[in-house]
Amino acid sequence: MLPLAAGLPPHPEFLESITYQVVGLVVVFSALGAIWLLMELMGALFRAADARRARPLPAAPLPSTATATAGDLRPELIAVITAAVHSSIDSAATIVAITPVAAHQETNLNLLAWSSEGRRQIFASHKLR
Amino acid sequence: MLQSLTDFLSLTGFAGITWQMATMWVVVAVLIYLAIVKGFEPLLLVPIAFGALVANLPTRGVITSEMLPNGVYQTSTFKVEGTILPEATGAEQGATPERIAVKVDRIEGGLYDFIAQGVKVEIFPPLIFLGVGALTDFGPLIAAPRTFLLGAAAQLGLFVTFMGALLMGFTSREAGSIGIIGGADGPTSIFVCNKLAPHLLGAVAVAAYSYMSLVPLIQPPIMRLLTTEKERRIKMKSLRKVSRLEKLIFAIVVMVICILIVPDAAALIAMLMLGNFLRECGVVERLLLAAQNEIINILTIFLGTSVGLTMSGQSFLAWGTIKIIILGVVAFGFSTAGGVLFAKLMNKLSPNNPINPLIGSAGVSAVPMAARVSHIEGQKADPSNYLLMHAMGPNVAGVIGTAVAAGYFISTMK
């Protein structure tokens, strides 16, 4: 066996140099193999944690506002909404539901505008890092 | 009048032009053509080629180079002139003082005699690794850790070339320095060569950097030779998203394991993972930007030109250098083949989740050129196949693998 701790001689024998190469490859494979196994283990733990987080929650009661189906809306209205979404969002988007805003919600939205403006001013007053 | 003009002409550079310089101008022209017209790694090739041009002009005050009596070509040395101070005159009375106090009067050297010390004293390679770490996303590797094995397999060329260099008459330390070229990692090649065979630094650095930039030429024929059309069309499963915490843990784990196994590679690995930690921790943006931009860019200019300045015709056109250049391409070829063949072996062992063998060649650590080559070759077989992110896994594993191999060479031969 090649005494590596003593150092390789300047001109090793053929068999000696073959052994040296094999040991070198074993060292490289051991180091990277050890990291591979640890990473597989870590990956499994993180995947399990993700799966726990992604587990569906108990079904929440449906909101009282009825969701309009395609059948309730005129095709022209769907086309207009789709065009508006397409022009305002750069990436591709899929419209899964169109919900009419109820009268009381409209009022609330108007009220919310003031708090939204206040929040915008607070954020604008801070320097972004 | 005529005599004065003749005297002046003898002082100009024209008298210093040799045939070796003229030959090297052709080499420089080829390198500049590849960099600018073909776009082969211009960030590396442009400074190298420009440095090589300067090295082959009769310059003064740029770099000192001389051929030593033992045939070793030495660059970037400077003279220190000083006066021995009176308190150190113990030697005159027969005692040998352990320390001699010297007042330095003058240091004589050219610009690159000083700048190239960054290569000689091994500061540049670890600092470049800091930048590489800051620029590298290890996510694809963490998402598919089995590609670590491709990074290990692609170190085959290092050890095969080590053997070849021994058979060509190089000593084991020289053979280790030449073999590391197969890792396709310039900073690591310089790091190893400095420790094991500093007299070969110029030739090894030139071979390593030149072949790194020629990856798009060297690898594809080998990849096509070793794979079938069907294998090149293999589509791999998309990678999972990796969280920031995983990336932080990865940086620490890799650093600790590699340093424990090969402490001699600690400077490289520690800097690589420091750069990556700065990137992933997300709270040191200014430091990250410095590592990703200013530090690595400045060092690339200095390192590239320092390497180019060693390409003097006198040393470059020597038989020893030509042997190193030949062995370098052999190393690259075997490393590429090692990665591709190991990927095929993995497919035999695990046929349910196949790997496109083209990504095996990315196990050489020329980041990201080797991954890009895998992607381009994959697209030639199937334009709808996107291999780039899959190939980045073995590509960055190759950086770690080469650093480990470097540590093995250094620790067993120092």
Side-chain angles (χ1 to χ4, degrees):
Chain A
M1 192 66 187
L2 178 67
L4 280 179
L8 197 69
H11 294 284
E13 298 293 321
F14 182 75
L15 200 63
E16 210 174 15
S17 63
I18 292 281
T19 313
Y20 181 77
Q21 291 172 72
V22 173
V23 174
L25 272 174
V26 168
V27 168
V28 173
F29 268 95
S30 307
L32 271 65
I35 300 169
W36 164 47
L37 293 177
L38 273 172
M39 286 301 115
E40 287 286 3
L41 185 66
M42 187 177 83
L45 292 174
F46 274 89
R47 278 195 298 272
D50 285 346
R52 267 201 305 277
R53 270 197 296 272
R55 205 170 290 156
L57 297 168
L62 286 171
S64 56
T65 315
T67 302
T69 60
D72 299 334
L73 296 169
R74 283 178 297 132
E76 302 91 282
L77 186 59
I78 295 173
V80 167
I81 292 170
T82 309
V85 169
H86 180 72
S87 65
S88 58
I89 300 173
D90 287 339
S91 57
T94 306
I95 298 168
V96 292
I98 297 169
T99 310
V101 179
H104 68 278
Q105 279 182 322
E106 199 169 8
T107 315
N108 288 345
L109 281 175
N110 285 334
L111 287 172
L112 276 173
W114 287 104
S115 54
S116 296
E117 175 58 15
R119 195 176 295 118
R120 191 194 65 76
Q121 285 183 10
I122 290 168
F123 282 131
S125 69
H126 294 301
K127 193 176 174 184
L128 286 175
R129 283 191 298 162
Chain B
M1 172 77 176
L2 193 63
Q3 184 60 42
S4 301
L5 273 175
T6 313
D7 288 348
F8 176 73
L9 274 179
S10 70
L11 295 175
T12 63
F14 290 104
I17 295 174
T18 61
W19 69 268
Q20 290 103 328
M21 286 181 177
T23 311
M24 287 305 290
W25 295 345
V26 178
V27 175
V28 167
V30 171
L31 293 181
I32 288 178
Y33 171 78
L34 290 175
I36 297 173
V37 180
K38 291 285 181 183
F40 288 165
E41 287 314 307
L43 293 178
L44 290 176
L45 270 192
V46 168
I48 289 176
F50 207 89
L53 179 61
V54 174
N56 290 286
L57 290 173
T59 55
R60 291 190 196 109
V62 178
I63 194 161
T64 312
S65 50
E66 55 184 336
M67 190 70 80
L68 300 180
N70 60 358
V72 171
Y73 186 77
Q74 198 170 45
T75 57
S76 59
T77 54
F78 45 78
K79 288 180 189 165
V80 179
E81 288 174 17
T83 314
I84 297 177
L85 293 173
E87 58 262 36
T89 51
E92 289 169 9
Q93 296 150 12
T96 309
E98 287 182 359
R99 290 172 62 86
I100 296 175
V102 178
K103 176 178 171 290
V104 176
D105 299 321
R106 186 166 173 274
I107 298 177
E108 186 186 325
L111 173 65
Y112 267 86
D113 292 331
F114 298 99
I115 290 178
Q117 295 306 313
V119 178
K120 278 196 164 182
V121 298
E122 296 169 8
I123 293 173
F124 287 171
L127 288 183
I128 286 201
F129 258 49
L130 175 77
V132 170
L135 286 166
T136 304
D137 177 11
F138 283 105
L141 181 60
I142 302 169
R146 62 184 174 147
T147 55
F148 258 113
L149 298 178
L150 297 177
Q155 308 309 314
L156 176 72
L158 276 68
F159 295 100
V160 172
T161 310
F162 172 81
M163 188 72 188
L166 283 179
L167 293 175
M168 287 178 88
F170 289 99
T171 65
S172 55
R173 292 167 70 97
E174 290 170 338
S177 304
I178 296 166
I180 205 79
I181 297 171
D185 193 328
T188 308
S189 301
I190 289 172
F191 189 78
V192 173
C193 194
N194 241 329
K195 287 198 183 294
L196 299 182
H199 55 284
L200 297 183
L201 184 62
V204 168
V206 167
Y209 275 103
S210 305
Y211 290 140
M212 273 170 72
S213 48
L214 296 178
V215 158
L217 279 184
I218 298 170
Q219 286 196 317
I222 301 167
M223 294 157 75
R224 275 179 239 138
L225 183 73
L226 296 176
T227 53
T228 62
E229 182 74 17
K230 191 182 166 195
E231 285 171 329
R232 291 198 287 274
R233 285 170 182 270
I234 292 176
K235 284 190 178 172
M236 294 173 66
K237 286 180 186 170
S238 56
L239 299 169
R240 73 181 173 90
K241 198 172 179 299
V242 175
S243 70
R244 189 169 73 161
L245 180 60
E246 276 182 275
K247 290 180 179 179
L248 290 175
I249 295 172
F250 173 84
I252 301 282
V253 165
V254 169
M255 186 180 73
V256 170
I257 290 180
C258 290
I259 290 178
L260 287 177
I261 293 178
V262 278
D264 285 288
L268 292 175
I269 290 287
M271 283 292 115
L272 179 73
M273 290 308 162
L274 170 62
N276 194 250
F277 204 83
L278 295 179
R279 174 195 170 96
E280 302 301 347
C281 70
V283 291
V284 286
E285 195 182 354
R286 280 163 48 198
L287 305 187
L288 174 65
L289 289 174
Q292 285 179 331
N293 298 293
E294 291 84 1
I295 292 176
I296 196 164
N297 290 344
I298 291 168
L299 290 179
T300 302
I301 295 172
F302 288 163
L303 186 69
T305 38
S306 298
V307 167
L309 279 161
T310 63
M311 289 173 71
S312 149
Q314 198 186 359
S315 71
F316 199 77
L317 299 174
W319 177 231
T321 308
I322 293 168
K323 279 198 286 189
I324 292 172
I325 301 286
I326 294 168
L327 284 166
V329 78
V330 171
F332 252 65
F334 272 100
S335 290
T336 304
V340 173
L341 292 175
F342 199 83
K344 292 175 74 147
L345 176 68
M346 285 170 78
N347 283 349
K348 294 272 181 224
L349 299 175
S350 170
N352 295 330
N353 188 10
I355 290 174
N356 189 317
L358 291 176
I359 72 163
S361 67
V364 301
S365 51
V367 180
M369 290 94 86
R372 222 157 40 208
V373 169
S374 300
H375 176 72
I376 291 167
E377 287 302 308
Q379 289 233 307
K380 280 180 188 167
D382 180 356
S384 66
N385 202 357
Y386 290 86
L387 291 175
L388 187 63
M389 289 315 285
H390 297 289
M392 281 307 290
N395 206 188
V396 292
V399 177
I400 299 167
T402 308
V404 171
Y408 173 73
F409 278 140
I410 296 167
S411 59
T412 53
M413 285 193 269
K414 65 181 175 185

